[in-house]
Amino acid sequence: AIEYDVHALQVKWQSYWDEHGTFRTDDPADTRPRKYVLDMFPYPSGDLHMGHAEAFAFGDIVARYWRQQGFNVLHPIGWDSFGLPAENAAIKRGVDPRDWTYANIEQQKTSFRRYGTSFDWSRELHTSDPEYYKWNQWLFLEMFKKGLAYRKASWVNWCPNDQTVLANEQVVEGRCERCGAVVEKQKKTQWYFKITDYADRLLDDLKQLEGSWPAKVIAMQRNWIGRSTGAEVDFAIEGRDEKVSVFTTRPDTLFGATFMVVAPESDLAAELAEGSTDAVRAAFADYRQQVQQSTEIERQDASRPKTGVFLDRFAINPVNGERLPVWAADYVLADYGTGAVMAVPAHDQRDLDFARAFDLPVRVVVDVNAPVTGAIPVIELDEQGDPILPELPDLNPAATGEALAGEGRLMNSGPLDGLSKQHAIKRIIEQLTADGTGRAAKSYRLRDWLISRQRYWGTPIPIVHGADGSLHPVPLEQLPVELPRTEGLDLQPKGQSPLGAATEWVETVNPVDGSPALRDTDTMDTFVDSSWYPLRFLSANDETRAFDPAEAEKWSPVDQYVGGVEHAILHLLYSRFITKVLYDLGHITFTEPFKALLNQGMVLMDGAKMSKSKGNLVEFVEQLDQYGADAIRVTMAFAGPPEDDIDWADVSANGSAKFLARAFRLAKDVTSERDVVWKGGDEKLRRQTHRLLADAPGLTEAFKFNVVVARLMELVNATRKTIDSGAGAGDPAVREATEAIALVLSIYAPYTAEEMWSVLGYEGSITSFGWRKADPTLLVEQSVTAVVQVDGKVRDRVDVPPTIDPDALQALALETAGAKRAIGDKAIVNVVVRAPRIVSISTK
Ligand code: ANZ
């Protein structure tokens, strides 16, 4: 007897796929159209978890779907295997991060194979292999040559726990993205990638992704790049030769500026204080120290009382020559705009709070009560017929404490008086430009990407420092600069790269003149590794280059990317950036790496995120042992829209397993012979079969995996019914339905599908069979139900052919018992017919 033993099936078909190279995509003669389907590659920290089970089920559904539709599908897998968790785990356990990492990779690999993911294993990569990170170093040097990788000293985010710097993107609400420690600011010399050069393109190209990327991710990226448009205005400073520029989004309010504020940690603030009185110097020094001790979280808290120091210096407003006192205050950030602002307390809340705290003047320059559009306001009347006039905001922000941020018309502003805000902005920019005291300007929230890390387990930065401080790229033929072994190194985080202690490795020679020189001891942020890995999969075994441009042309961009929304900014922004860099360097011909993006939801347990500490962790491998791969995959697909969270307590892997066993039993029961064409049989079942074949592709492409599974369940039940009815297991429609079930299942439950296919008498893998097209004649609806209304009420229904003509339908409707009864002896005055659905009769 044929048994449905899921575990035996898994072993059988895994080795079949391996032996036959079923999922390899390396035949250059393959002429099928191509699809590149990619899941965000995993980080090897322990075995796969339920989150992986979900994301990789969805990615594999998409890959298997396109394959079944006749595409040559590239579906590769690799590991993002450098990074802090490996290093921290290694320190805790006293082992080499290599051993920990590669052992985890082996474990995850075993689980992936059991799960039946249709990967092309011949392209497997690990970012911690020298064969991979050699090309990170190549990329770094390409960017170094173009000035896109550079070193600078500046205030950086410092994680006191991991003892390393962090990119802005890795600071979440003032805390370290990895460990949650409150991030500190330190001034350090670090390596950066010049992502700010690409801010406009990163922003503008988001338009191309609308509709195929989740709107939320697009909005988050827009927000992160944060482009503001406005003007730069130059203020002369008494007793200083150079002017100070401020960035403002509201140059129209220039006549309302009553003081200037500079960021306390800026060089400008220090210099202005230095040139002031002894008392100011002392007060400023104290204040600066106080500011340095506060965290970013504290500084950005708007409800905190305003603090600051008057520098006893004055700026001159270029439009009216007014003297504005200059203050240093920590609500102004050193690294946004120019680090200095013109304060307009009447129209900016932060400036108003500050002005009220320090008793500085407030001058209204925009009348927010003056209408700016031509529309006549609709005025409502009260019970007495008197107009109810809207209450006008009080134009006295100094008293109310509410800044007037809205639209309006200019006042107290000389030549701008009477203009709307928008017109005034335009006019003043023209004026400033003509006078040479300002210009239109943009400002971005996006900062350059800090890529150096003071940790061991990453790609060494391929730079050599000459004795004179000069920087020299390691020549290409000397790449990779391999990580030294850990023997003799102390990996404990201590603020300096552990690589510094590898004396033999550090001490090298200047590639230019052979003089003694030192290697850079920092390693790269692992987001560099993942910023271009989709390209490496295309030439994973090529030792001569990062990737073959011809292969990139063939396969890129990725058609479908699948992964978590936690990467909405970091990884996805960096990948988009590096893709544009590679485009500019002439290595590729496209500018966006991922055509479409699917963000899966989370797998929860009892409404909460799973975690060991909460004791609600569901182990993926235990689920695999218990139910088998197919049942878990089907459960993931059936749970709901893929973007939604799945609560594992609310779904039933057991139910999925039973459904699969029922489907499998159909294949065993079919008694008719296999044939190249499907032949007749039970008409109703045939219609249902062909409906599923017709609908499954569209539903799968729209990620309505749950609907497809529901329809499969219905068809399995209907087929069983037909077998149990008179027609029996020999009815050709039963074979037809069962074959269709196997074909659709091949996308969702590959092991069951393969075995059904073989039980049904086919040789080889179902994946090479392709798809059966639905017979269009079986998709035509046989009859539809027309509604008969009399005077607006439904009185009867009648089943008619969908193609019925209106006259015939009207005649039928008038003959129905319900219509006759409702009409009685009343006269019919009108009949409206919308064939084939409605007949509407009116009487008098
Ligand atoms: C005068 C003004 C008047 C402003 C007004 C706003 C309203 P976004 O939209 O975020 O770009 N600003 C400029 N540089 C700053 C810095 N380094 N730290 C803190 N604030 C800074 O904000 C731009 C506005 O934020 C600028 O326009 C400036 O204040 C302030 F009715 O200038 B505004």
Side-chain angles (χ1 to χ4, degrees), residues 488-564:
L489 301 187
D490 175 13
L491 301 189
Q492 273 310 330
K494 55 192 167 303
Q496 269 153 12
S497 175
L499 291 180
T503 321
E504 265 178 50
W505 181 86
V506 174
E507 288 174 0
T508 181
V509 291
N510 183 330
V512 182
D513 59 13
S515 62
L518 301 175
R519 288 194 190 283
D520 199 296
T521 55
D522 285 352
T523 52
M524 292 182 211
D525 181 3
T526 55
F527 281 102
V528 176
D529 314 359
S530 53
S531 67
W532 66 280
Y533 80 108
L535 286 165
R536 184 64 189 165
F537 278 129
L538 309 180
S539 312
N541 304 305
D542 192 332
E543 288 167 14
T544 63
R545 53 194 160 179
F547 58 88
D548 176 353
E551 291 293 304
E553 192 63 29
K554 242 167 85 176
W555 290 105
S556 305
V558 170
D559 291 283
Q560 182 65 58
Y561 202 31
V562 180

Side-chain angles (χ1 to χ4, degrees), residues 329-530:
D330 70 355
Y331 76 96
V332 171
L333 311 169
D335 64 353
Y336 186 71
T338 64
V341 309
M342 62 179 219
V344 185
H347 304 287
D348 180 281
Q349 193 61 45
R350 294 158 301 179
D351 295 344
L352 181 62
D353 295 343
F354 193 82
R356 280 161 48 101
F358 293 96
D359 217 6
L360 293 160
V362 178
R363 185 191 304 146
V364 175
V365 289
V366 181
D367 178 359
V368 294
N369 293 333
V372 280
T373 59
I376 299 163
V378 179
I379 294 180
E380 293 191 25
L381 303 181
D382 65 14
E383 280 159 22
Q384 277 78 46
D386 293 329
I388 306 172
L389 293 175
E391 214 165 301
L392 292 175
D394 197 332
L395 285 190
N396 190 358
T400 62
E402 304 278 338
L404 307 168
E407 299 290 319
R409 288 192 184 277
L410 274 284
M411 57 191 273
N412 294 332
S413 295
L416 302 180
D417 279 356
L419 294 180
S420 68
K421 167 177 146 187
Q422 291 312 326
H423 274 134
I425 289 176
K426 190 165 178 278
R427 182 71 60 80
I428 192 75
I429 289 176
E430 284 166 5
Q431 185 64 49
L432 293 167
T433 309
D435 295 348
T437 49
R439 63 216 64 90
K442 287 183 213 162
S443 195
Y444 302 85
R445 247 197 84 191
L446 185 68
R447 297 279 82 100
D448 275 343
W449 172 14
L450 200 176
I451 59 118
S452 43
R453 296 289 179 274
Q454 293 69 53
R455 298 299 300 257
Y456 171 77
W457 192 230
T459 304
I461 289 178
I463 291 285
V464 164
H465 298 252
D468 58 353
S470 54
L471 302 175
H472 304 281
V474 173
L476 281 183
E477 60 279 7
Q478 289 177 23
L479 299 185
V481 176
E482 277 200 50
L483 263 182
R485 307 297 300 189
T486 50
E487 285 83 46
L489 301 187
D490 175 13
L491 301 189
Q492 273 310 330
K494 55 192 167 303
Q496 269 153 12
S497 175
L499 291 180
T503 321
E504 265 178 50
W505 181 86
V506 174
E507 288 174 0
T508 181
V509 291
N510 183 330
V512 182
D513 59 13
S515 62
L518 301 175
R519 288 194 190 283
D520 199 296
T521 55
D522 285 352
T523 52
M524 292 182 211
D525 181 3
T526 55
F527 281 102
V528 176
D529 314 359
S530 53

Side-chain angles (χ1 to χ4, degrees), residues 130-426:
E131 294 76 21
Y132 185 90
Y133 68 70
K134 171 179 181 174
W135 304 112
N136 279 342
Q137 294 173 338
W138 166 82
L139 173 68
F140 178 95
L141 293 177
E142 287 281 290
M143 294 177 69
F144 181 72
K145 279 183 232 151
K146 293 278 171 202
L148 290 170
Y150 69 97
R151 252 160 90 85
K152 74 169 174 195
S154 82
W155 293 97
V156 298
N157 303 303
W158 177 258
C159 174
N161 179 44
D162 293 330
Q163 291 275 308
T164 186
V165 300
L166 300 171
N168 272 7
E169 288 79 359
Q170 289 165 325
V171 181
V172 178
E173 290 168 2
R175 291 172 184 277
C176 171
E177 177 228 9
R178 284 247 186 253
C179 73
V182 173
V183 169
E184 297 167 0
K185 287 278 183 191
Q186 292 203 3
K187 196 153 195 172
K188 283 186 177 288
T189 301
Q190 297 288 322
W191 285 99
Y192 291 83
F193 280 172
K194 215 161 191 325
I195 192 172
T196 52
D197 270 10
Y198 286 74
D200 279 324
R201 285 161 71 189
L202 287 167
L203 203 58
D204 297 340
D205 288 356
L206 285 172
K207 280 200 198 79
Q208 297 172 29
L209 305 175
E210 275 169 13
S212 52
W213 276 40
K216 184 175 157 197
V217 173
I218 293 179
M220 285 168 79
Q221 292 220 351
R222 271 213 180 99
N223 205 25
W224 184 260
I225 298 165
R227 179 166 64 198
S228 296
T229 52
E232 243 170 51
V233 186
D234 307 333
F235 287 72
I237 304 286
E238 287 179 3
R240 187 180 195 259
D241 293 337
E242 271 168 82
K243 292 184 175 180
V244 166
S245 303
V246 303
F247 172 73
T248 176
T249 46
R250 295 289 308 274
D252 57 310
T253 63
L254 191 46
F255 286 86
T258 54
F259 54 100
M260 179 185 271
V261 187
V262 296
E265 67 271 53
S266 63
D267 293 342
L268 173 65
E271 182 214 306
L272 292 177
E274 194 54 37
S276 191
T277 62
D278 286 348
V280 165
R281 267 198 294 278
F284 175 75
D286 279 355
Y287 184 60
R288 188 164 169 148
Q289 191 156 23
Q290 176 193 324
V291 169
Q292 262 168 37
Q293 277 159 5
S294 58
T295 65
E296 202 71 354
I297 306 181
E298 289 162 352
R299 277 186 74 166
Q300 286 178 10
D301 175 3
S303 66
R304 201 170 56 118
K306 291 277 181 291
T307 58
V309 173
F310 174 44
L311 298 178
D312 205 0
R313 302 288 299 261
F314 292 87
I316 307 298
N317 189 333
V319 290
N320 56 12
E322 269 181 38
R323 289 179 89 220
L324 307 180
V326 181
W327 288 68
D330 70 355
Y331 76 96
V332 171
L333 311 169
D335 64 353
Y336 186 71
T338 64
V341 309
M342 62 179 219
V344 185
H347 304 287
D348 180 281
Q349 193 61 45
R350 294 158 301 179
D351 295 344
L352 181 62
D353 295 343
F354 193 82
R356 280 161 48 101
F358 293 96
D359 217 6
L360 293 160
V362 178
R363 185 191 304 146
V364 175
V365 289
V366 181
D367 178 359
V368 294
N369 293 333
V372 280
T373 59
I376 299 163
V378 179
I379 294 180
E380 293 191 25
L381 303 181
D382 65 14
E383 280 159 22
Q384 277 78 46
D386 293 329
I388 306 172
L389 293 175
E391 214 165 301
L392 292 175
D394 197 332
L395 285 190
N396 190 358
T400 62
E402 304 278 338
L404 307 168
E407 299 290 319
R409 288 192 184 277
L410 274 284
M411 57 191 273
N412 294 332
S413 295
L416 302 180
D417 279 356
L419 294 180
S420 68
K421 167 177 146 187
Q422 291 312 326
H423 274 134
I425 289 176
K426 190 165 178 278

